[in-house]
């Protein structure tokens, strides 16, 4: 089965931290850009961050720059999102998505998406 | 980075065609041919239906087509079918090495 499976979501207090994981199986992970995208309840998609295939290049949306860190472990086909200083505005379903292969010359956010993990920031 | 502008809703009858617009700026949609469209059914993950303005991933019906003119991209769904009813989101690469999504359009098949 081709899948991306996110985990690590849950209830966290304002100001707290959370680390999300995304495990890839049945599809190429190494060699591909990876992205995190979130969706607040009833709202639209918001791009958060991306990382290149070897982890040497990362980019972030202004809304999370300095608070979120993206990383990957290619030996375990796993993508991570470390989220710090969380606020109510960070409450959302967080999706990981596979980007194009590095060097492919293609540009898109996700040809494969996980089902998402819900993060709720509340006291 | 401001979200791209999409109409909140669109509709069409089965068999008809409908076009959804996505307006950005000269720093995103107008600057790059890197506009994508995603389809999202309720409670489901998004699915890529168009990338790089007009390319279709394998398995996406040719009823889905994309185009761009200046700062506005468009998604056309021809021969509407009931299963096309979903939310559609455009996205674009930006000059800040970021990506930005549109606010989404709810497509209703009447």
């Amino acid at each position: 089965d081709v899948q991306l499976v996110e985990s690590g979501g849950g209830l966290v207090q304002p100001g707290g931290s959370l680390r999300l994981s995304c495990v890839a199986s049945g599809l190429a992970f190494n060699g591909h850009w990876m992205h995190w995208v979130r969706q607040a309840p009833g709202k639209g998609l918001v791009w958060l961050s991306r990382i290149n295939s070897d982890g040497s290049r990362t980019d972030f949306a202004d809304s999370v720059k300095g608070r979120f860190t993206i990383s990957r472990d290619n030996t375990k086909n796993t993508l991570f999102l470390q989220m710090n200083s969380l606020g109510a505005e960070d409450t959302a379903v967080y999706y990981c998505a596979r980007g194009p292969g590095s060097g492919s010359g293609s540009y898109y956010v996700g040809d494969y998406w996980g089902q998402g993990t819900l993060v709720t920031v509340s006291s | 980075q401001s979200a791209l502008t999409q109409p909140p809703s669109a509709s069409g009858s089965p068999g008809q065609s409908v076009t959804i617009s996505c307006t950005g700026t000269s720093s995103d949609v107008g600057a790059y041919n890197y506009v994508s469209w995603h389809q999202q059914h309720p409670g489901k993950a998004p699915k890529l239906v168009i990338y790089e303005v007009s390319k279709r991933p394998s398995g996406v019906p040719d009823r889905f087509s994309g185009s761009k003119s200046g700062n506005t991209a468009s998604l056309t769904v021809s021969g509407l079918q009931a299963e096309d009813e979903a939310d559609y989101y455009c996205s674009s690469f930006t000059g800040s090495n970021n990506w930005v999504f549109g606010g989404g359009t709810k497509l209703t098949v009447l």
Side-chain angles (χ1 to χ4, degrees):
Chain A
D1 245 12
V2 173
Q3 56 181 353
L4 294 170
V5 179
E6 302 94 338
S7 63
L11 177 64
V12 60
Q13 292 191 337
S17 298
L18 215 52
R19 190 194 198 199
L20 306 183
S21 299
C22 166
V23 178
S25 60
L27 75 164
F29 177 81
N30 297 352
H32 282 254
W33 285 85
M34 293 296 296
H35 299 256
W36 286 101
V37 175
R38 71 184 178 188
Q39 186 171 35
K43 303 296 184 181
L45 301 174
V46 176
W47 180 85
L48 297 177
S49 181
R50 67 170 183 165
I51 186 169
N52 69 347
S53 58
D54 66 4
S56 62
R57 171 67 187 269
T58 61
D59 294 295
F60 295 89
D62 288 345
S63 59
V64 302
K65 196 175 297 183
R67 297 191 300 126
F68 289 12
T69 304
I70 188 172
S71 61
R72 63 192 297 162
D73 183 343
N74 285 341
T75 67
K76 297 181 178 178
N77 285 357
T78 303
L79 175 73
F80 302 101
L81 185 69
Q82 176 67 43
M83 306 185 295
N84 299 327
S85 303
L86 288 165
E89 68 278 9
D90 297 312
T91 293
V93 172
Y94 285 71
Y95 295 101
C96 63
R98 192 183 79 163
S102 294
S104 68
S106 292
Y107 278 77
Y108 51 81
V109 171
D111 57 356
Y112 288 97
W113 293 66
Q115 285 303 305
T117 185
L118 176 63
V119 172
T120 303
V121 184
S122 175
S123 56
Chain B
Q1 181 69 51
S2 300
L4 306 176
T5 301
Q6 297 181 234
S9 64
S11 63
S13 299
Q16 289 186 333
S17 294
V18 64
T19 297
I20 299 170
S21 63
C22 169
T23 301
T25 70
S26 58
S27 296
D28 40 62
V29 175
Y32 305 96
N33 288 324
Y34 300 146
V35 176
S36 301
W37 290 89
H38 288 86
Q39 175 193 64
Q40 186 180 35
H41 288 106
K44 300 296 185 180
K47 173 188 174 183
L48 183 69
V49 294
I50 293 288
Y51 69 102
E52 293 176 9
V53 176
S54 59
K55 296 179 181 179
R56 274 190 314 277
S58 175
V60 174
D62 59 7
R63 302 185 294 104
F64 290 85
S65 61
S67 62
K68 192 189 88 166
S69 177
N71 296 339
T72 298
S74 299
L75 172 72
T76 298
V77 186
S78 305
L80 272 175
Q81 298 183 5
E83 63 259 33
D84 299 332
E85 184 162 296
D87 294 325
Y88 290 84
Y89 294 91
C90 62
S91 65
S92 175
F93 188 68
T94 81
S96 304
N97 282 317
N98 286 357
W99 286 83
V100 62
F101 280 92
T105 298
K106 181 177 180 60
L107 175 60
T108 300
V109 180
L110 302 171

